Amino acid sequence: MANSNPIKKSEPDSYPEFEIAAEHSSKELSISTETTLDKEGWNLDIIHSLVVKGKSLNPPGGDLDQIELGTCEDLDGKKMRLVSTLSRIKDTGSNPPPGASYTLTFFVDGEELESYTVKAGGTLDRLFTKIQITIK
Amino acid sequence: MNRIYCICIVVLLTTSASGQEISDAIKSLQVNSSPAFIILGVEPENIQRPNSPSEFVANVQSATVNNTLATNFAMETTPYWWGRKDSKRFDVLDYLTSRGKDDYLKKVLQSVTFSFATSPTDSMVIGSLKPGTGLGLGFRMQLFTGHLSAKVERSLASWYQLTRATLLFDNLIGELEGDADIGDLEDWADDQISADPELSKMPEAMQELIKERFLRSVPANPTKTDVPKIRKGVNSFVAKAKKNLVDVNSYRLPLTREGFMLELAGASARIASNLEWNDMVLAKRAFWLTPSYRFNVNEKQDGIDIIDVMAVARWTSNVDLVDPSDYLDAGGKIQYIHERWSLSYEAIYRYATKKPDNVEKSYTYRTGLTFSYKLNDLVTFKVTGGKKFNGNTLEYDEPQRMFIVGGFNFGISKLQNGG
């Protein structure tokens, strides 16, 4: 499998293929995020829009914790669009706002499949993950 | 002697001009430490903070070994957050005054904290009770928590509404690109607002506002071909949200609360002379009420200029072996914080309800002038001078004793993550 990092800082027009090995086709696919700030004294606010197979999953704010998307075979050929909005609110820190490290991890039946990280630096960042899941 | 002195000063003293400490200052000034620790006269360095009933029980169990109390144990817990994964997560609704009808009760419940501590006893705390291990149990709650400055709150509320509104746009784009049939747009928006945890927890008025702005920005029967136009709408919301957030972050301490604050706290101390749980004697009980008012007199967004006016009323009931008298304390403090330094003056008057025959007066007092200077983010220098009482009627007649205490505070903190 040679998936490239699907997390983008600006929204792609298309949904590139995201390959998952056929051996996982009956397994449940889930995703998690982990976000850390590189400076203390700042608060982080994260919200997500997550749409899979044309349906909003409405996950809670904060980092995603193994959000189930469905079995891989049900997701074959389907689109996933995740938009995570990261805001930094100053507490006791000083400007400029800290950079953020954002990691998106895919799991099959709870076991880590692939993990991708991007660094974002700004007051407010939007990170886009648009993929078309493909079983190969 | 030193220990009881610590009990007295922690209630009204201790602040510095460091950002973290200013942010926590009101909390600190109301009751500097957990009531259970204060009543025992200890400042534990390692406080356990259980976040679920099972952790709580485990921690209580770890305080005993073979039915014997462990010394120097400290625990503080907030039951409201038990079992909640998001207990450490920043929630902007905690800072906005217009969050909803159940706002007040919820805020009070979120602030209720119980503390539990053990410590070897000090003769000034327990008088002539047989020495052993002291067990302190305490609670505290914030009855009024103040508010953000009006300008910050306005920008923060606007950022909050705009970012949450983008969820509607993004969900719509995702569904349209996933070939979903949206149907009636208003019904779709209502469904999203009730299904999305972030949107559904917003105050109703904000939900209506978001829905209205969303419906105004999106074609009535959107299709996939409308996505570029919808994307333009979301980008404009994001740009405005960013502008609001930059404005919030341009303040030196945007989340500093001001206005009226009020904290209620109580604690009791029991003594286990032979370290056994089932052989404990009540030593004292105390209640504090700590009102304060903060004036943010800052004229520059990136500066710190704060005046705090605080008071404390405290009642302490002692068993006769500790002190034949109960205490009624009343005190006040005024503090000015400017950038890296702060200056404060405080005075506490103590009245003894039963004056022993060998004591001249039924009252005593303490005063203190404190200067602190933040050397850097981690180190603050502080010096306090004044007159002190020792808090026990047996030695009530020496309030004129002068004292001066100086030192450095060191702070270490963790980075925030999204969990």
Side-chain angles (χ1 to χ4, degrees), chain B residues 226-253:
Chain B
D226 293 314
V227 167
K229 189 180 176 195
I230 299 167
R231 202 171 279 151
K232 216 179 237 180
V234 73
N235 287 341
S236 121
F237 273 51
V238 169
K240 285 177 194 160
K242 198 168 183 173
K243 190 170 172 293
N244 282 308
L245 200 50
V246 167
D247 187 48
V248 168
N249 290 337
S250 67
Y251 288 84
R252 180 79 167 271
L253 293 168

Side-chain angles (χ1 to χ4, degrees), chain B residues 26-95:
Chain B
I26 286 300
K27 210 182 279 179
S28 307
L29 293 162
Q30 286 170 345
V31 178
N32 184 276
S33 188
S34 293
F37 314 152
I38 290 170
I39 200 150
L40 288 180
V42 295
E43 281 294 314
E45 288 174 1
N46 298 308
I47 301 169
Q48 299 183 46
R49 292 192 165 85
N51 203 26
S52 68
S54 54
E55 275 180 40
F56 175 74
V57 170
N59 282 7
V60 170
Q61 284 171 346
S62 71
T64 62
V65 181
N66 296 329
N67 203 33
T68 300
L69 272 178
T71 53
N72 298 316
F73 175 85
M75 180 172 70
E76 185 177 37
T77 188
T78 307
Y80 183 89
W81 298 109
W82 282 2
R84 291 176 195 245
K85 280 186 179 172
D86 58 350
S87 61
K88 296 278 188 320
R89 199 183 137 212
F90 172 75
D91 187 349
V92 70
L93 287 179
D94 289 341
Y95 295 89

Side-chain angles (χ1 to χ4, degrees), chain B residues 102-313:
Chain B
D102 61 346
D103 182 33
Y104 179 74
L105 186 62
K106 194 172 172 185
K107 271 189 177 173
V108 170
L109 287 175
Q110 284 175 345
S111 75
V112 175
T113 299
F114 294 98
S115 48
F116 175 94
T118 64
S119 168
T121 54
D122 180 299
S123 61
M124 289 313 299
V125 177
I126 64 158
S128 7
L129 271 180
K130 199 172 160 193
T133 297
L135 168 68
L137 296 169
F139 78 94
R140 63 172 157 183
M141 61 175 78
Q142 303 267 339
L143 300 176
F144 292 95
T145 55
H147 53 80
L148 300 184
S149 80
K151 284 179 190 167
V152 169
E153 181 160 355
R154 210 176 305 126
S155 296
L156 200 62
S158 177
W159 157 81
Y160 177 67
Q161 287 175 37
L162 289 163
T163 52
R164 271 53 187 175
T166 63
L167 289 173
L168 284 179
F169 287 93
D170 278 321
N171 288 353
L172 182 63
I173 292 170
E175 292 199 9
L176 289 172
E177 289 185 338
D179 301 318
D181 179 17
I182 301 302
D184 183 88
L185 189 64
E186 190 167 353
D187 289 347
W188 179 89
D190 285 335
D191 290 346
Q192 292 293 321
I193 288 170
S194 58
D196 190 284
E198 285 299 317
L199 294 168
S200 59
K201 75 176 183 183
M202 296 178 87
E204 240 169 71
M206 278 192 189
Q207 290 175 347
E208 283 303 314
L209 200 65
I210 282 177
K211 195 174 96 176
E212 191 194 317
R213 294 174 86 165
F214 170 74
L215 293 175
R216 247 192 290 136
S217 314
V218 172
N221 296 298
T223 62
K224 211 168 179 174
T225 55
D226 293 314
V227 167
K229 189 180 176 195
I230 299 167
R231 202 171 279 151
K232 216 179 237 180
V234 73
N235 287 341
S236 121
F237 273 51
V238 169
K240 285 177 194 160
K242 198 168 183 173
K243 190 170 172 293
N244 282 308
L245 200 50
V246 167
D247 187 48
V248 168
N249 290 337
S250 67
Y251 288 84
R252 180 79 167 271
L253 293 168
L255 300 181
T256 297
R257 293 179 186 275
E258 55 190 61
F260 181 67
M261 292 162 233
L262 181 64
E263 183 167 287
L264 174 68
S268 76
R270 291 171 182 273
I271 308 301
S273 299
N274 52 10
L275 299 181
E276 286 191 9
W277 268 112
N278 44 14
D279 186 22
M280 303 192 83
V281 180
L282 177 69
K284 58 170 65 185
R285 278 186 293 242
F287 289 93
W288 297 257
L289 193 61
T290 327
S292 59
Y293 200 95
R294 166 164 285 192
F295 301 89
N296 192 345
V297 291
N298 200 9
E299 288 184 1
K300 294 182 296 177
Q301 280 191 333
D302 61 348
I304 300 173
D305 271 300
I306 287 166
I307 295 172
D308 288 318
V309 181
M310 287 150 279
V312 65

